[in-house]
Structures are given as C-alpha cells and as structure tokens.
C-alpha cells in the first residue's frame, strides 16, 4: 500500500489531467474530481458503512495441468533437452515476439496461432508443429 504523501501526489496529478482521483478514468466535468461509478460507491459506503456486495466474476478456465496442445509441449521439451536451456512459455513468447498469454492460450486452451506465429514457432523449434 502506498503512503499518504504518494497518494496525495497521485490525486493532484489526476486532478490536473481531468481524471477521477480514485480510479483514474477520464472525467467529463472539470468541476468534479470523481467519476460517477466512484461517486455511487462512496455514497453507498457512507450510507451503509460497508462496501457494496461484490459481483463474482465467472472465469471459464480449464484445469491448470490440462494441456490441449501436446505436440507443442513435447517440442518445447525436446528443444530444452537439446540446448540445455529451459524453453517455457515466457521464453517461447520472447523468441517469436508474442505475448506469454497467447502462448498459454495455444497450449492450454487449444487455440491456434496465426500463420505468422505458426511459421515462427516451427522455425524456432526446428520442426513442423503446425501445418502452414
């Protein structure tokens, strides 16, 4: 948690750039320093002396260890053994100029990369994982 002085500076900076002092969203009215959602939250909090009940986010994820693209995982393991470097999702993402989250989607959610990334993955791993 940031200290009080740091928060004062942040709120001051947000006021100058017409942003909500709580969340940083753009505020239309220059007179008001807080957005409508934050204002509603504060009204509720002052009235009930507790935050509003949070809505639960439902995230549809497969189990952590369930790999959908076994060919890609096996190729990454082979590359790791051959070159004595650990090829994980971060390393592969850096090598092919992609995000780590995209690589995770290809591995664990079974999504297919675009043609550009298919070529880069095949070249980096030295074998044809994806048909082009």
């Amino acid at each position: 948690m940031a200290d009080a002085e740091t928060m004062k500076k942040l709120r001051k900076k947000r006021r100058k750039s017409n942003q909500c002092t709580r969340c940083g969203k753009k505020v239309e009215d220059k007179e008001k320093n807080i957005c409508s959602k934050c204002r509603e939250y504060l009204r509720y909090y002052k009235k009930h002396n507790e935050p509003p009940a949070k809505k639960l986010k439902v995230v549809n994820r497969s189990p952590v260890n369930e790999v959908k693209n076994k060919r890609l995982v096996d190729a990454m393991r082979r590359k790791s053994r051959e070159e004595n470097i650990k090829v994980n999702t971060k390393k592969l993402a850096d090598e092919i100029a992609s995000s780590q989250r995209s690589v995770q989607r290809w591995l664990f959610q079974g999504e297919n990369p675009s043609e550009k990334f298919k070529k880069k993955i095949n070249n980096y791993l030295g074998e044809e994982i994806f048909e082009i």
Side-chain angles (χ1 to χ4, degrees), residues 77-108:
R77 286 182 183 149
R78 282 192 294 275
K79 179 83 169 178
S80 295
R81 280 193 300 262
E82 289 170 4
E83 297 187 6
N84 290 331
I85 55 167
K86 184 157 177 99
V87 180
N88 53 20
T89 56
K90 177 76 174 143
K91 175 77 172 157
L92 181 60
D94 290 342
E95 291 293 329
I96 63 170
S98 176
S99 69
Q100 183 178 8
R101 181 66 185 116
S102 293
V103 175
Q104 290 171 345
R105 275 195 290 274
W106 303 333
L107 290 172
F108 300 112

Side-chain angles (χ1 to χ4, degrees), residues 69 71-72 112-123 127-132:
N69 193 338
R71 288 183 68 196
L72 181 55
N112 285 320
S114 65
E115 296 296 318
K116 175 178 91 170
F117 288 118
K118 286 179 181 180
K119 289 177 186 175
K120 287 183 176 184
I121 292 169
N122 290 344
N123 288 338
E127 55 186 279
E128 190 166 337
I129 311 312
F130 297 103
E131 292 180 17
I132 298 173

Side-chain angles (χ1 to χ4, degrees), residues 61-70 73 77 104 107-109:
R61 292 186 180 150
S62 59
V64 176
N65 295 330
E66 187 177 331
V67 175
K68 300 273 174 101
N69 193 338
K70 292 185 182 355
V73 171
R77 286 182 183 149
Q104 290 171 345
L107 290 172
F108 300 112
Q109 294 177 356

